[in-house]
Amino acid sequence: MSIPYNAGVPSALAAALLFGTSTPVVKLLLGPVNPWLSAGLLYLGSGFGLALLRLIRKAPPVHLSHGETKWLACAILAGGVIAPVLLMWGLSRMPASSAALLLNAEGVLTVLLAWFVFRESFDRRIASGMILIVLGTVVLTWSSDASFDSMLPALAIVGACLGWAIDNNLTRKVALADATFIAMIKGLTAGGTNIMIAWLLGITLPQPFVLLATGTLGFFSYGLSLVLFVVALRHLGTARTGAYFSTAPFLGALLAIPLLGESLSIQFVVAALLMAVGVWLHLTERHEHWHTHEELEHEHEHIHDDHHQHAHSEVVTGAHTHRHRHKPLAHSHPHYPDAHHWHDHE
């Protein structure tokens, strides 16, 4: 079966690879450090790094509409402020092995919200692929000493996962905006929140070299990863992006084998097989039917393709940004639930 190409797929997998890399590398840099300090340093590194990158590139200012500003603010509140606090409270009251298992709920909740609240399209093939990927992450993070002695800490961690799931779905609402700007704002906010939590807990900062190295890692593993995640949202929709990104723990564990000298276990092999089949089901998806595009006006970077046919006062080639109007259009072609294919299905 041929695999239809979509720019969102390599973006989502690259985002997962960069994010998964952070786990084994940060262990080398910081060792057994407070999770809020490490998260804060990584997020701040991503925010400051992207701000510097935008300055060097002389990126134009981003003007979000009132609606987009609202969605982004709500996403940051849910995923950058509330979720870390809930995670802190839950982690401090239950074993880390149990918490690691519960953190798999983020991918599940992201997909369920996308499907049943935000009405993103899916079929049995996509649902089966997601189930296999989630099973793979559960197998990978399962620990024999995992226990759930108290409901409240477990509910707090699930609440944190719900916050990130809401964040992922709301970020899709602004995915057409400059991805570096979106990732920069989220990184600075989440980083500031986590650093504040670490400060309230009395955690001291590591040596300057470690700070610089961790910030640099944050730029790549959190900053560029989030940029790629936003790009994937633009092309794939939330559920499919979330499914590909759920492979991050596996990619991190794969990297830990040579970096940290960890052994290749049966648990790892089983997880790899489950995830591989799940990703294959998603990669080989072909969704095609007759659909109608309603009239729409918005602004984002685009090229003159089948969905962007409009006149300019001067000759324009390549990708460019301006406010433009989509005329009503009805046609049939393979597509994903991307920014231009958000329609109901019977």
Side-chain angles (χ1 to χ4, degrees), residues 193-240:
T193 300
N194 282 278
I195 289 292
M196 178 64 70
I197 291 172
W199 177 73
L200 291 173
L201 292 173
I203 307 300
T204 56
L205 293 177
Q207 296 297 318
F209 170 76
V210 177
L211 278 176
L212 179 61
T214 307
T216 303
L217 175 64
F219 169 69
F220 288 99
S221 294
Y222 280 56
L224 294 185
S225 174
L226 184 51
V227 169
L228 291 166
F229 186 87
V230 173
V231 171
L233 286 175
R234 187 182 302 167
H235 291 282
L236 294 172
T238 310
R240 288 159 180 79

Side-chain angles (χ1 to χ4, degrees), residues 144-192:
S144 59
D145 61 350
S147 61
F148 306 97
D149 297 330
S150 174
M151 287 298 295
L152 285 179
L155 288 174
I157 290 179
V158 172
C161 291
L162 178 60
W164 289 316
I166 293 172
D167 179 357
N168 294 336
N169 278 276
L170 295 185
T171 299
R172 186 195 186 283
K173 300 283 190 180
V174 296
L176 288 178
D178 188 321
T180 60
F181 174 79
I182 300 299
M184 177 190 71
I185 296 299
K186 294 179 76 171
L188 291 174
T189 305

